[in-house]
Every structure is written in C-alpha cells, then in structure tokens.
Amino acid sequence: MPTLIRALLFPGLPILLVALFPLARPAAQGGAQPEIAAVRPAQLIGIPRDSYTSVATHAPLQYLRANATATFIVTYAGFTPQAQAAFQAAVDVWSNLITSPVPIVVNAQFTALAPNVLGSAGATYVVRDFTGAPEANTWYLAALANARAGLDLQPTLGDIGANFNSTFANWYYGTDGNTPPGQYDFMSVVLHELGHGLGFAGLATVSDGTGLWGLDGIPSSYDRRVVNGSLQALINTGLFPNPSAALADQLQSNSLFWNGAAGIAGNVNFA
C-alpha cells in the first residue's frame, strides 16, 4: 500500500474546520470560454485547549522575501501593525513553498467575527476547462488555475478572500513559534487558511446527513485525489453515490487521505 497523506492538512492546530466551500451556481460562459463559479470559504473555530503547535522553523523572513518563487499582492483592511506583520510572515513562507508565474491577489480583512471564530479564507472562484488545465471536467481554485493557465483568468477579481477576527482576545502575533499557553498563534492560523485558498481544499460538504462533492456533479482537482483508508476514491459513485448518506459517512470518518502522486512523492513515509 502506498504512503498516504491525510486529506485534512495542518493537524494539531487548536481549531475546528466547520465547512468546506459551499458554492454558488456557476455563471454560464459562451463558446469555448472556461466555466467559472463563485465560492465561499470555510470558517475556523477556536477550541479552548492547548495544543502547543506552531509554524516550523523557517529561514529568516528577509531571506524568504528575497528568494520568493511566487508573488503575493495583499490588500490589508483593518489590520493592526502586529496582525499585519504576522499575516505577512505567513505570506512570505508560502511565497517560498510554491511557484507561480502569475501574481496571487489576496484581499485580507481584520474585522469583528462571531465569538470563537478565528477566521476564514478561500478561493474567490473556481474555473474549469481553461487552456492549460491538466484535467478536463475538473474545477481548479483561482490561484491554482491561474498558475496552470499562465495568466490571470479573472483579472478584475482577487484570487483569495480572507477574514480574521479582530475581536478575538487570545491571539499571539509573534512569528517565533513561541506561543504562550492559552493563546492562538495568528501566523499559524493564517498559514493554514491561505493553504485552502491556494488549492488545499475540496468541494465536499455534509448537510442533514447527506454528503455531496463537486459542483454540478463535477469534482475539483482536490476531490479527485481523496481516498479512504482502503484506497477507495470518494468520487467513485459506484461505491458512494453523490449525494448520499454513505458519502456523508466517509466525509465524517476521520479516515481520509490524499492520494496524489506528486504529494506522495514529496512526502515519503509521511502519513
């Protein structure tokens, strides 16, 4: 059996993922134009438990900025200097982990959210069947689609929308990983959430005991590579009809894994 990567990344943070990308209906596109749909991000809720996790040791931020392989353009609204510095540190880490020929536009807000909600972030839209798409009939999140296409497919829109709770009382804004007990590492949470916006997110949801993946019956690139512990693909409708209660059981099983070849090759012996 090959090594598998847990489908829900960044384990150990004191957060709870509430929902993955409920979707609006796509706007019809004429001719050979790619089809585009709007999406909404997930929310993270803080769990009052010390997990003692943080961003792993990284190169100095100045080095990361000077050697970036992807360009992020972030518009900040409402941020304190400390919160913005921690957010930018997470951006700098990602800019050294991925490669894109197209600048990634992030609209970030530091604003009041519901109690215990840490924040949310995600792609502002998904695209399928664009020139350069690796797979047909597959949704790609904005930043990933642009990188594959080699151009900004929606230049009037940002690629990632992010909202973080300005009234949450227990943020730690340091970038050294030394988060005190009882506080939440802001940089870690931003790093996690930006990962969803960059493509580490599927289009699966559970509502009233029924599981559903994709949009109009079409999976995302992430959905295509999620399997259970028996290597059964969740998009195999012969095993798990879409939608169905059986699919809901799988999505809530806490036994889902990423089975993409490149991910497995890059994470040998990691599960």
Side-chain angles (χ1 to χ4, degrees):
M1 180 179 294
T3 300
L4 300 177
I5 300 173
R6 283 280 180 182
L8 295 180
L9 301 183
F10 306 102
L13 289 173
I15 53 180
L16 174 64
L17 186 61
V18 176
L20 282 178
F21 297 95
L23 298 172
R25 299 289 296 177
Q29 304 291 317
Q33 295 296 313
E35 191 166 357
I36 297 170
V39 295
R40 291 183 293 171
Q43 281 190 339
L44 293 180
I45 294 177
I47 300 173
R49 181 180 69 243
D50 288 327
S51 295
Y52 300 105
T53 61
S54 64
V55 177
T57 301
H58 53 77
L61 296 176
Q62 295 88 339
Y63 175 88
L64 296 179
R65 292 166 190 155
N67 294 275
T69 52
T71 298
F72 285 76
I73 300 172
V74 184
T75 299
Y76 290 101
F79 279 75
T80 63
Q82 297 91 339
Q84 182 168 327
F87 191 109
Q88 186 61 48
V91 169
D92 293 338
V93 171
W94 271 118
S95 72
N96 243 252
L97 294 175
I98 63 172
T99 300
S100 176
V102 183
I104 299 164
V105 179
V106 181
N107 295 317
Q109 294 192 71
F110 200 47
T111 187
L113 301 175
N116 293 326
V117 173
L118 302 181
S120 65
T124 54
Y125 61 92
V126 291
V127 193
R128 68 178 178 92
D129 298 321
F130 54 90
T131 300
E135 296 173 290
N137 295 317
T138 303
W139 294 106
Y140 290 85
L141 276 66
L144 179 57
N146 291 342
R148 290 295 193 173
L151 55 88
D152 194 334
L153 295 167
Q154 287 287 291
T156 62
L157 298 176
D159 303 314
I160 299 173
N163 295 277
F164 291 91
N165 197 343
S166 62
T167 60
F168 188 72
N170 295 319
W171 285 126
Y172 175 69
Y173 295 113
T175 58
D176 56 6
N178 296 319
T179 309
Q183 293 190 329
Y184 294 72
D185 190 74
F186 190 74
M187 182 182 175
S188 291
V189 173
V190 174
L191 190 76
H192 174 114
E193 283 298 287
L194 288 177
H196 292 315
L198 291 169
F200 291 95
L203 303 181
T205 59
V206 175
S207 179
D208 295 327
T210 299
L212 174 72
W213 54 254
L215 176 62
D216 285 352
I218 297 172
S220 72
S221 57
Y222 190 94
D223 296 332
R224 286 192 178 278
R225 290 159 180 83
V226 176
V227 299
N228 62 19
S230 299
L231 294 181
Q232 296 171 320
L234 264 63
I235 65 168
N236 184 339
T237 55
L239 295 172
F240 315 113
N242 184 40
S244 69
L247 182 57
D249 290 342
Q250 292 294 314
L251 290 168
Q252 298 176 111
S253 67
N254 197 32
S255 183
L256 298 182
F257 301 86
W258 172 262
N259 198 31
I264 291 173
N267 291 272
V268 177
N269 296 324
F270 177 79

